[in-house]
């Protein structure tokens, strides 16, 4: 499906179907008010009414603001794709909502069909967006930007959605290598011998029972004279069985998504390099598989991490923080960044705390939290801050090592996981670091907003929005 911005009035565009966004207030003034009324269409947000004979799809919206347009466009595109028409047209409602319109169409129309023997054949070929009464030159860059970010989000979704027997840590390495070739990025990969030289024993322990070697991937995008340097760190558990602290059968299903942080970070650096932003971006990924076996790491093990901090393992299912401990430590040596952001499907507790629709944000800088929350409102990705405190920090105390990988009480589990990571952030970097727990938002089994079944690509739109405005 192609989506094109055209410098024409909507009436001058030749297409099978016209798309119209309409609010409750506008309903009575519509030319089709009578038919819409008799069809029982009330212009509720995310409802559609397809007038086949008139060749119009009406899409209900609460307002013409970005969040409502994005969500309504996502509902509309599914209806349109299930028809046999080949083209549709819609007018660019406003400069401020054009990006959301593109995102709604691309992300809401996303399908992952790689494993279907007979995927549904989509007939829809073209969607034209009419610049209408707004100057084309002001819309074009917004359109191109939204397309790059939406496609990067789909790139992330595609990797997360692939099955774990196919995407293992070594596959992640090949995917990163290909992205680096395609987008002229630098790529450095440490295989297990390299990890051992770096003394990344926490990360190595997690991957030891897997038949696939663990790897650290470092991609960099380096424009000339960058304004800022950013390090992005991603949890890349290509499968999380829980290890010897085995997950119950029903909780294990969907754990291919435990690589979503890594895949988000890949999507972000892809987008940033295509947007040609003048900031240097480094992506660090800990690619590991958490399995069981005779060689598996165990509850009671004490690991000496790269930073020399010793860690008592009390639960092998709290593996993401062990991998991130070493990758964060490595990243702080490799690059002197202005900001360090990590993305991880880290805790079920984050989902309990905030629900499935909101990413948990943790860190020490109020200003960073504020700026990132702003990017959240601008991009329509919901984020909420979870506050650190000294009492929760004490729950990570270990009797025999420097820190335990599991808090002694389950309450506040997302925050204690964030506080565990904090232990590996150096004093001079405390205010530069933010942790994003995307356990709830990275994957969904029930479609919502512009997210369809499976991976959502959460984090990509948010970070692109933040970095664009740096
Ligand atoms: N990958 C999981 C967290 C997760 C759970 C992500 C559900 C997405 C959906 C993580 O490695 C994990 O298992 N965390 C444990 C930590 C606990 C053992 C302290 C959890 O959340 O139960
Ligand atoms: Zn786990
Ligand atoms: Zn995990």
């Amino acid at each position: 499906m192609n989506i094109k911005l055209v410098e024409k009035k909507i009436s001058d565009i030749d297409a099978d179907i016209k798309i119209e966004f309409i609010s409750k207030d506008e309903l009575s003034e519509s030319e089709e008010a009578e038919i819409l009324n008799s069809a029982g269409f009330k212009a509720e947000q995310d409802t559609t009414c397809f007038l086949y004979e008139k060749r119009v799809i009406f899409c209900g919206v609460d307002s013409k603001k970005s969040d409502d347009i994005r969500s309504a466009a996502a509902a509309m595109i599914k209806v349109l794709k299930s028809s046999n028409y080949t083209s549709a047209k819609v007018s660019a409602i406003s400069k401020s909502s054009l990006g959301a319109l593109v995102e709604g169409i691309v992300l809401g129309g996303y399908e992952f069909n790689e494993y279907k023997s007979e995927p549904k054949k989509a007939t829809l070929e073209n969607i034209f967006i009419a610049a209408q009464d707004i100057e084309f030159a002001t819309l074009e860059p917004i359109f191109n930007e939204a397309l790059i970010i939406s496609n990067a989000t789909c790139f992330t979704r595609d990797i997360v959605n692939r099955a774990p027997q196919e995407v293992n840590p070594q596959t992640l390495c090949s995917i990163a290598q290909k992205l680096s070739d395609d987008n002229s990025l630098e790529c450095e990969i440490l295989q297990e011998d390299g990890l051992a030289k770096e003394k990344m024993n926490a990360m190595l322990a997690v991957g030891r029972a897997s038949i696939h070697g663990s790897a650290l991937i470092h991609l960099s995008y380096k424009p000339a004279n960058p304004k800022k340097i950013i390090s992005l760190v991603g949890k890349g558990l290509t499968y999380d069985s829980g290890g010897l602290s085995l997950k119950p059968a029903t909780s294990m299903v969907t754990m291919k998504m435990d690589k979503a942080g890594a895949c988000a970070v890949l999507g972000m650096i892809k987008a940033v390099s295509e947007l040609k932003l003048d900031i240097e971006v480094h992506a660090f990924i800990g690619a590991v598989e958490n399995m069981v076996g005779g060689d598996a790491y165990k509850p009671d093990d004490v690991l000496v991490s790269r930073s020399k901090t010793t860690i008592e393992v009390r639960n092998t299912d709290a593996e993401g923080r062990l991998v991130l401990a070493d990758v964060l430590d490595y990243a702080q040596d490799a690059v002197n960044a202005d900001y360090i952001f990590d993305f991880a499907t880290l805790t079920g507790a984050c989902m309990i705390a905030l629900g499935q629709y909101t990413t948990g944000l943790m860190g020490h800088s109020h200003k960073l939290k504020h700026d990132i929350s702003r990017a959240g409102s601008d991009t329509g990705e919901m984020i909420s801050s979870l506050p650190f405190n000294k009492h929760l920090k004490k729950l990570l105390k270990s009797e025999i090592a420097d820190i335990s990988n599991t808090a002694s009480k389950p309450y506040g589990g997302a925050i204690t996981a964030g506080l565990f990571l904090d232990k590996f952030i150096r004093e001079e970097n405390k205010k530069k670091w933010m942790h994003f727990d995307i356990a709830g938002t990275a994957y969904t089994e029930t479609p919502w907003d512009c997210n369809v079944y499976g991976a959502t690509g959460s984090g990509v739109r948010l970070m692109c929005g933040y970095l664009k405005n740096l």
Side-chain angles (χ1 to χ4, degrees):
M1 181 189 73
N2 295 309
I3 169 164
K4 288 182 198 141
L5 181 72
V6 283
E7 197 172 4
K8 279 186 185 171
K9 280 202 166 124
I10 191 153
S11 51
D12 294 339
I13 298 174
D14 186 25
D16 296 339
I17 300 293
K18 188 167 96 177
I19 299 155
E20 267 195 45
F21 292 94
I22 188 165
S23 65
K24 286 192 187 97
D25 304 341
E26 293 167 327
L27 206 49
S28 58
E29 283 129 54
S30 164
E31 270 176 42
E32 314 298 346
E34 231 179 278
I35 314 182
L36 290 172
N37 186 38
S38 55
F41 179 67
K42 301 219 163 51
E44 301 280 358
Q45 175 69 41
D46 297 348
T47 63
T48 55
C49 190
F50 202 153
L51 303 182
Y52 292 93
E53 290 195 348
K54 301 260 176 193
R55 299 206 164 195
V56 187
I57 302 180
F58 283 92
C59 312
V61 286
D62 286 343
S63 78
K64 301 284 171 80
K65 290 189 184 145
S66 291
D67 288 352
D68 291 336
I69 294 293
R70 187 185 299 105
S71 186
M76 174 280 295
I77 192 71
K78 292 184 189 90
V79 175
L80 187 58
K81 281 181 83 174
S82 67
S83 76
N84 283 334
Y85 295 104
T86 59
S87 62
K89 58 184 180 180
V90 58
S91 76
I93 300 146
S94 66
K95 198 177 145 194
S96 64
S97 67
L98 174 63
L101 175 62
V102 173
E103 289 161 2
I105 294 171
V106 178
L107 300 176
Y110 171 87
E111 283 176 59
F112 183 75
N113 286 324
E114 220 172 283
Y115 304 126
K116 297 266 193 200
S117 332
E118 287 172 20
K120 285 176 272 154
K121 277 222 172 70
T123 54
L124 186 66
E125 284 167 13
N126 291 306
I127 295 195
F128 303 104
I129 302 182
Q132 194 89 331
D133 305 321
I134 314 167
E135 206 188 326
F136 185 78
T138 65
L139 292 183
E140 204 185 17
I142 299 172
F143 174 82
N144 291 337
E145 211 168 72
L147 210 51
I148 287 175
I149 295 170
S150 304
N151 287 337
T153 308
C154 294
F155 170 83
T156 294
R157 287 180 178 182
D158 275 342
I159 313 169
V160 178
N161 282 331
R162 284 170 67 190
Q165 94 271 24
E166 200 190 328
V167 179
N168 59 56
Q170 293 303 314
T171 326
L172 270 191
C173 293
S174 322
I175 293 169
Q177 185 65 62
K178 179 168 187 307
L179 175 64
S180 115
D181 294 344
D182 292 348
N183 286 31
S184 310
L185 309 171
E186 286 175 25
C187 178
E188 197 190 348
I189 294 176
L190 295 190
Q191 295 293 351
E192 287 196 341
D193 52 345
L195 297 176
K197 274 192 200 128
E198 287 288 335
K199 301 195 164 47
M200 297 176 73
N201 299 317
M203 173 166 168
L204 278 167
V206 175
R208 210 166 56 216
S210 168
I211 57 164
H212 306 288
S214 304
L216 182 143
I217 303 165
H218 175 191
L219 289 181
S220 12
Y221 163 69
K222 291 181 174 167
N225 309 315
K227 291 219 177 74
K228 286 271 188 286
I229 304 177
I230 314 288
S231 284
L232 305 171
V233 176
K235 170 176 171 181
L237 263 290
T238 60
Y239 203 69
D240 181 11
S241 69
L244 289 178
S245 314
L246 195 65
K247 282 186 185 294
T250 50
S251 315
M252 211 183 291
V253 182
T254 72
M255 275 306 136
K256 66 172 181 181
M257 64 127 126
D258 219 17
K259 59 186 180 296
C263 303
V265 157
L266 288 176
M268 291 167 200
I269 201 165
K270 173 178 160 71
V272 166
S273 60
E274 290 168 12
L275 293 167
K276 300 191 171 64
L277 298 187
D278 53 357
I279 46 176
E280 185 172 314
V281 176
H282 294 264
F284 296 92
I285 288 170
V288 187
E289 187 184 54
N290 187 20
M291 297 298 283
V292 292
D295 196 24
Y297 83 126
K298 303 172 268 295
D300 288 352
D301 275 348
V302 174
L303 312 174
V304 184
S305 68
R306 185 179 186 277
S307 75
K308 305 276 187 316
T309 301
T310 57
I311 307 168
E312 179 191 0
V313 177
R314 293 182 69 88
N315 190 320
T316 61
D317 197 11
E319 83 301 333
R321 59 194 79 183
L322 299 173
V323 173
L324 288 178
D326 276 348
V327 179
L328 282 166
D329 190 64
Y330 179 91
Q332 290 172 91
D333 274 334
V335 178
N336 186 14
D338 295 294
Y339 299 116
I340 305 163
F341 300 134
D342 78 71
F343 294 82
T345 46
L346 204 61
T347 64
C350 189
M351 235 185 298
I352 306 287
L354 296 175
Q356 207 207 323
Y357 313 106
T358 306
T359 290
L361 180 64
M362 283 155 261
H364 299 283
S365 162
H366 291 298
K367 182 182 166 357
L368 253 187
K369 279 187 188 170
H370 174 270
D371 292 350
I372 288 166
S373 300
R374 178 71 173 272
S377 327
D378 290 349
T379 58
E381 273 201 53
M382 293 194 286
I383 41 186
S384 185
S385 165
L386 295 171
F388 288 157
N389 68 58
K390 63 180 179 192
H391 306 287
L392 285 170
K393 192 173 176 173
K394 284 187 208 145
L395 304 182
L396 289 165
K397 205 172 158 308
S398 163
E399 293 298 331
I400 72 154
D402 299 336
I403 192 166
S404 162
N405 84 328
T406 322
S408 53
K409 287 183 183 148
Y411 311 115
I415 302 178
T416 48
L419 283 165
F420 179 92
L421 299 182
D422 172 56
K423 180 90 176 161
F424 300 87
I425 302 295
R426 301 184 195 150
E427 216 44 61
E428 64 272 23
N429 293 329
K430 291 283 189 208
K431 296 247 169 187
K432 301 179 180 175
W433 166 69
M434 280 283 138
H435 159 58
F436 296 76
D437 194 330
I438 56 170
T441 52
Y443 197 87
T444 184
E445 293 186 288
T446 45
W448 61 279
D449 197 83
C450 60
N451 302 307
V452 300
Y453 179 95
T456 62
S458 83
V460 177
R461 244 165 50 226
L462 172 75
M463 245 318 106
C464 291
Y466 173 78
L467 296 175
K468 239 169 46 185
N469 292 327
L470 256 192

